[in-house]
């Protein structure tokens, strides 16, 4: 494979949580000898368009999308969770492009911290694994 660069799109609204997710993803990708480029966007709803632009750019072989949506007092949480996930899926299917979805959707900050810590439960790490597994599948077909 010529291109071994993965874009990691982050929505750093919760900076420390996103940094933990990013660290998990970057750790796995560098262990697998991939180059990493980080792209920040304002929020989780902006991640799908960023993924689409990156997929169309031909600069990357895959994408890892990272964000955190923590439930608040309104239905906004539900809309952001559903639409960001749908948007990422739509981009992946439209462009036949490997995207690991690491946008965590949690009830509270403690759950977000648990999923972004430096341990085996890091969802950034898991999203990077998913992106690479999809990339391997694509290359094998």
């Amino acid at each position: 494979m010529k291109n071994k660069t993965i874009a990691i799109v982050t929505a750093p609204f919760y900076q420390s949580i996103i940094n933990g997710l990013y660290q998990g993803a970057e750790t796995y990708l560098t262990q697998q000898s991939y180059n990493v480029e980080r792209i920040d966007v304002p929020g989780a709803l902006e991640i799908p368009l960023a993924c689409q632009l990156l997929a169309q750019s031909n600069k990357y072989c895959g994408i890892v999308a990272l964000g955190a949506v923590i439930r608040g007092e309104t239905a906004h949480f539900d809309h952001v969770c559903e639409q960001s996930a749908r948007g990422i899926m739509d981009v992946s299917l439209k462009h036949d492009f490997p995207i690991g979805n690491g946008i965590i959707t949690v009830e509270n900050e403690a759950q977000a911290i648990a999923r972004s810590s430096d341990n085996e439960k890091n969802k950034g790490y898991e999203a990077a694994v998913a992106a690479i597994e999809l990339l391997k599948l694509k290359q094998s077909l």
Side-chain angles (χ1 to χ4, degrees):
M1 172 178 32
K2 287 192 305 189
N3 183 357
K4 289 207 58 163
T5 303
I6 301 284
I8 301 179
V9 180
T10 61
F13 188 80
Y14 300 101
Q15 191 69 53
S16 64
I17 292 164
I18 299 310
N19 286 343
L21 293 170
Y22 177 83
Q23 201 58 42
E26 183 185 46
T27 295
Y28 178 75
L29 294 169
T30 55
Q31 287 171 349
Q32 301 300 311
S33 300
Y34 285 88
N35 301 313
V36 173
E37 245 181 77
R38 181 174 178 167
I39 295 95
D40 289 334
V41 297
L45 287 176
E46 289 74 38
I47 289 175
L49 177 57
C51 288
Q52 180 165 292
L53 295 170
L54 295 167
Q56 292 171 333
S57 76
N58 294 319
K59 282 182 63 177
Y60 307 98
C61 59
I63 298 171
V64 176
L66 302 175
V69 184
I70 300 175
R71 185 178 295 281
E73 297 176 0
T74 68
H76 182 70
F77 170 87
D78 298 311
H79 299 298
V80 172
C81 295
E82 290 172 19
Q83 296 307 316
S84 62
R86 180 186 170 106
I88 291 168
M89 181 184 67
D90 287 350
V91 170
S92 184
L93 294 173
K94 178 181 178 182
H95 297 284
D96 294 321
F97 203 80
I99 303 175
N101 185 347
I103 299 178
I104 58 173
T105 54
V106 295
E107 297 295 321
N108 54 55
E109 190 173 347
Q111 290 176 348
I113 291 168
R115 286 158 179 77
S116 62
S117 295
D118 185 18
N119 61 35
E120 71 281 350
K121 295 181 182 178
N122 185 292
K123 298 302 179 187
Y125 187 97
E126 290 179 8
V129 170
I132 297 307
E133 290 302 313
L134 288 170
L135 181 59
K136 288 177 182 176
L137 175 63
K138 182 179 178 179
Q139 292 169 343
S140 73
L141 300 176

